[in-house]
Amino acid sequence: VSKLLDPSKGTASITAVAGSFGYIPPEYAYTMQVTAAGNVYSFGVILLETLTSRFPVDEAFGEGIDLVKWVHNASSRKETPEQILDARLSTVSFAWRQQMLAVLKVALLCTDTTPAKRPKMKRVVEMLQEVNQ
């Protein structure tokens, strides 16, 4: 998306919030720029939605907590990764659970609060392909 807005730079400045809350990367609040790293963050949110069957923003997480924070803070709540996965999916088989846990690792990398620490989308695709092998 960012490259479509300004193909020469891969980033673009915009003056209005674009996107839905819960998918917008944290750095957007102060940069107001659409970036490839921000797109990776949003993709990570979609992965988390798929793995947990939860919405990106939900009152059940608590005030000021979105899906990303809820997942990243699971260990502080003494929850294991298995406990945050959708049990209807993760209990189908051991292989499914292992694949879901591997995808969870990818999602956590994608939703790192530091944009520079997020993998490039090419690497995300490679990691997801490795999960399937």
Side-chain angles (χ1 to χ4, degrees):
V1 172
S2 63
K3 290 181 182 180
L4 291 173
L5 294 174
D6 186 350
S8 67
K9 298 179 185 173
T11 63
S13 294
I14 56 177
T15 57
V17 175
S20 301
F21 293 107
Y23 298 97
I24 301 170
E27 68 273 11
Y28 184 83
Y30 57 88
T31 67
M32 296 297 286
Q33 289 194 343
V34 177
T35 64
N39 290 341
V40 169
Y41 179 92
S42 299
F43 183 74
V45 175
I46 293 169
L47 290 177
L48 292 177
E49 277 186 285
T50 304
L51 293 166
T52 64
S53 295
R54 293 179 178 265
F55 293 111
V57 178
D58 191 328
E59 292 178 8
F61 298 137
E63 189 172 337
I65 306 292
D66 59 14
L67 178 59
V68 172
K69 288 179 187 169
W70 182 78
V71 170
H72 279 267
N73 293 331
S75 62
S76 67
R77 296 188 311 271
K78 299 189 182 357
E79 289 180 310
T80 64
E82 289 87 351
Q83 290 174 300
I84 63 172
L85 299 175
D86 182 343
R88 296 171 298 177
L89 301 174
S90 64
T91 57
V92 169
S93 74
F94 179 75
W96 276 37
R97 181 173 37 252
Q98 294 307 106
Q99 286 182 328
M100 289 178 74
L101 289 170
V103 173
L104 177 61
K105 288 179 185 177
V106 175
L108 291 171
L109 291 172
C110 290
T111 55
D112 194 293
T113 56
T114 306
K117 290 184 180 179
R118 296 179 201 141
K120 304 286 186 227
M121 188 54 82
K122 181 179 180 180
R123 181 64 188 130
V124 172
V125 171
E126 291 169 352
M127 290 186 287
L128 292 174
Q129 287 173 332
E130 291 167 11
V131 168
N132 199 32
Q133 294 176 356

